[in-house]
Amino acid sequence: MTSSFNPVFAKQGTTIFTVMSALANEHKAINLGQGFPDVDGPESIRSAAAKALMEGPNQYAPMPGMPQLRQALSAHARHYYGLDYDWATETLVTSGATEALTAAIMALAGSGDEVVLIEPSYDCYRPIAEAVGATVRSVKLQPPHWRLTEEALAAAVTPRTRVIVINTPLNPIGRVFDAGEMAVLAKVVAASNANVVSDEVYEHLTYDGQKHISLASLPGMRGRVARVGSAGKIFSLTGWKVGWVTGPAELVSVITKAHQFLTFTTSPALQLGVAHGLAHEMEFPRLLAARLQENRDAVAAGLREIGFEILPCEGSYFLTAGIAGLTNEKDRAFCERLAKEAGVALIPLSVFFSPGGPDTYVRFALCKSRTLLDEALARLKAHFR
Ligand code: PMP
Ligand code: GLN
């Protein structure tokens, strides 16, 4: 019977985030798997949304988004990246970055096209590219430095490549592509027929003074890049699922056509809350990044003592570590056992790779209170003693 279903979805398991969160609940494990903060974002944003819920509007928002939020998105891109996007034709509000990514990939690639992914890659890119009938070609970054090289990227791009999906700061490895890597991307994109879907949901969460570079801000790139963002990550409101696309009118217009048939619109009250946040609460992500950097240092020190190999971590919610010094198990078996026996749930890195990727690394979520992280470290220490 399942043979009559779309094989892309029929053959899928449940996402690792749901699997590990369920395992954490079942075994009362501390959940450092699925990336969600344990403290909600600014009260003024929640109040603005609550006010809008009570006073309206509560009917369908305009299909491309509330003007207040779209104007704030345009101002945000100008302020942080010097990118000028006309709010009325070059911004789109979506139901989370997930919907933005789906709409963008659906709109920019089709049957017979090629989509290039940089692995490890966030889990939703591949199934959507395959569901639209595109063939995925992947560039596998190599541990421990995970650097993007021109040779590897150029080898994956062909005349049939229509979309290159990039993600910086990169979930799961916490890489932030530097100026050299961004220049390589710009060079390869300029020589290709491809547009770029640029997943920048962790744009404000970088460490050690390293700046997030938006590919669209490089010479010649503005017209080729659809930038994807998420209020969930900027304001620690992951349950809200308010995301967006900013980009040249030509790309945003076709992505909007996909959006109109996916979700059509997003809660107006939440959009107004996020518009308030972009105008008044940008200190919040700056302080969050500083707190995450402290968490990174504390968790890295604790894990190093236990025997984990700590990999560089420049941004995002996540720290990755090698387990080869601790076990002969593969990452997934290790994570499943740790949730049950040590009471700490993690994410195995192999799920972010196509077959043949590394399978001895795990991901720790840093977006948690220090008390919880310290308790998780204590449990791991006791387990490996
Ligand atoms: N892209 C990346 C890299 C992510 O980590 C996430 C987080 N969940 C998303 C997209 C999806 O964001 P949202 O929750 O806004 O759909
Ligand atoms: N982006 C989050 C993570 O990587 C999870 C989002 C989800 O559960 N789909 O942990």
Side-chain angles (χ1 to χ4, degrees):
M1 190 56 194
T2 55
S3 61
S4 60
F5 301 147
N6 183 333
V8 172
F9 298 108
K11 73 173 195 229
Q12 289 288 326
T14 301
T15 83
I16 193 69
F17 308 118
T18 300
V19 169
M20 291 310 298
S21 286
L23 209 58
N25 285 339
E26 188 186 340
H27 296 279
K28 309 230 174 327
I30 294 177
N31 191 353
L32 303 188
Q34 191 178 28
F36 59 90
D38 53 3
V39 178
D40 289 346
E43 195 177 319
S44 82
I45 300 183
R46 289 181 278 134
S47 295
K51 183 167 180 285
L53 265 184
M54 296 315 294
E55 295 176 5
N58 283 300
Q59 307 308 325
Y60 295 128
M63 187 271 280
M66 301 288 283
Q68 294 92 323
L69 178 51
R70 300 173 72 202
Q71 285 158 9
L73 291 173
S74 172
H76 174 265
R78 192 173 306 114
H79 178 77
Y80 286 95
Y81 311 107
L83 285 164
D84 252 309
Y85 294 116
D86 170 29
W87 75 266
T89 56
E90 303 191 308
T91 68
L92 168 70
V93 178
T94 58
S95 295
T98 308
E99 197 235 328
L101 290 158
T102 303
I105 294 170
M106 283 179 81
L108 301 179
S111 179
D113 294 338
E114 290 178 0
V115 171
V116 168
L117 302 183
I118 296 170
E119 295 181 352
S121 69
Y122 186 59
D123 68 343
C124 73
Y125 310 152
R126 176 181 287 269
I128 299 308
E130 289 179 350
V132 302
T135 301
V136 171
R137 294 173 67 94
S138 47
V139 180
K140 281 194 175 66
L141 304 180
Q142 301 296 329
H145 299 296
W146 310 111
R147 279 200 71 79
L148 180 65
T149 66
E150 183 172 346
E151 300 70 47
L153 185 61
V157 174
T158 78
R160 290 166 68 173
T161 308
R162 287 287 170 278
V163 172
I164 301 174
V165 183
I166 66 169
N167 173 214
T168 180
L170 203 161
N171 176 8
I173 52 178
R175 276 298 324 280
V176 177
F177 291 140
D178 64 20
E181 289 166 303
M182 296 311 286
V184 159
L185 271 164
K187 183 176 171 193
V188 174
V189 171
S192 76
N193 299 320
N195 292 301
V196 176
V197 174
S198 180
D199 181 343
E200 303 178 30
V201 299
Y202 299 104
E203 60 192 319
H204 296 295
L205 305 180
T206 61
Y207 313 144
D208 307 314
Q210 186 169 343
K211 279 254 176 303
H212 165 66
I213 302 173
S214 188
L215 182 66
S217 65
L218 269 64
M221 288 295 106
R222 185 192 182 282
R224 306 286 289 276
V225 181
R227 303 175 62 243
V228 171
S230 168
K233 308 296 153 117
I234 298 181
F235 298 122
S236 292
L237 295 166
T238 62
W240 280 26
K241 298 297 279 190
V242 176
W244 52 81
V245 180
T246 49
E250 192 188 6
L251 300 188
V252 169
S253 141
V254 68
I255 295 168
T256 302
K257 290 180 190 168
H259 159 77
Q260 69 187 340
F261 298 128
L262 281 169
T263 59
F264 185 65
T265 58
T266 300
S267 156
L270 299 185
Q271 291 192 52
L272 292 176
V274 173
H276 172 90
L278 289 172
H280 302 289
E281 290 287 0
M282 290 310 289
E283 190 62 1
F284 178 83
R286 204 178 65 74
L287 295 175
L288 175 62
R291 200 161 53 74
L292 288 170
Q293 180 179 322
E294 286 170 17
N295 290 351
R296 174 201 64 180
D297 294 340
V299 172
L303 293 178
R304 215 175 264 123
E305 260 177 51
I306 295 169
F308 285 89
E309 176 205 357
I310 304 304
L311 271 58
C313 169
E314 302 156 322
S316 85
Y317 277 174
F318 308 110
L319 172 74
T320 46
I323 59 171
L326 285 171
T327 177
N328 293 325
E329 288 162 303
K330 303 283 186 228
D331 57 359
R332 185 154 189 156
F334 178 83
C335 288
E336 285 170 2
R337 188 171 61 76
L338 233 56
K340 293 176 196 157
E341 295 177 7
V344 179
L346 308 173
I347 298 288
L349 225 63
S350 56
V351 300
F352 302 97
F353 286 93
S354 51
D359 54 11
T360 56
Y361 296 92
V362 295
R363 190 191 82 173
F364 292 80
L366 300 170
C367 47
K368 306 287 178 182
S369 68
R370 262 305 269 290
T371 324
L372 195 76
L373 293 172
D374 287 344
E375 169 63 18
L377 285 171
R379 288 187 186 189
L380 291 172
K381 267 182 198 152
H383 179 80
F384 287 103
R385 186 172 295 136

